[in-house]
Amino acid sequence: FLSENKLNASLAALQKESGISLNATDSVDRLTADVLAGRWDAVLTAVAPMSLPRGLLSELYEQVVVELLELREPDTARQMLRGAAPLLAMKAHEPKRHARLEALAARPYFEARDAYDGG
């Protein structure tokens, strides 16, 4: 009700007080289509207000980084690796996994086998 009626401050207060987050999206179909099409800006915007498990967020952001590298956008990928909260959490909790992404970003070329097979 609160979300549907754009009562965002009330929704945030209720979620904070109850400790329960509304993990919902306006359109599951649109979110699914965005994921399948690689529209990561829309996906990240849609999941930002959700309270998702750290592991799921790490996997999502890892996929975004790998696809940025595949698109020859290593600077953007490195910026995400060094600034996005889920990737900083990965660096703290899974340093080898984060280091692998940093190594992929440092390469002058993209090798799908290394990126998607985990090296």
Side-chain angles (χ1 to χ4, degrees):
F1 174 81
L2 296 174
S3 179
E4 292 169 0
N5 290 292
K6 307 286 188 232
L7 300 170
N8 298 326
S10 298
L11 176 62
L14 182 60
Q15 289 179 146
K16 183 177 179 183
E17 286 181 28
S18 69
I20 299 171
S21 295
L22 175 65
N23 285 335
T25 181
D26 292 339
S27 170
V28 173
D29 292 334
R30 183 175 45 229
L31 179 60
T32 301
D34 288 340
V35 169
L36 293 174
R39 291 187 291 264
W40 299 115
D41 56 334
V43 173
L44 296 178
T45 299
V47 302
M50 298 179 187
S51 293
L52 299 176
R54 185 180 73 228
L56 181 59
L57 280 174
S58 292
E59 289 177 17
L60 175 61
Y61 276 76
E62 181 176 26
Q63 183 65 33
V64 173
V65 166
V66 169
E67 289 195 24
L68 284 169
L69 294 172
E70 189 171 8
L71 293 169
R72 311 287 192 261
E73 294 286 345
D75 294 335
T76 306
R78 278 191 293 274
Q79 188 174 20
M80 285 189 71
L81 282 165
R82 296 169 187 164
L87 292 168
L88 294 173
M90 178 194 288
K91 185 175 183 178
H93 298 285
E94 300 177 81
K96 288 182 181 178
R97 186 174 172 190
H98 190 274
R100 178 183 146 300
L101 292 173
E102 284 279 1
L104 289 171
R107 290 182 178 179
Y109 60 89
F110 178 81
E111 181 64 50
R113 181 182 55 232
D114 294 338
Y116 291 108
D117 287 345

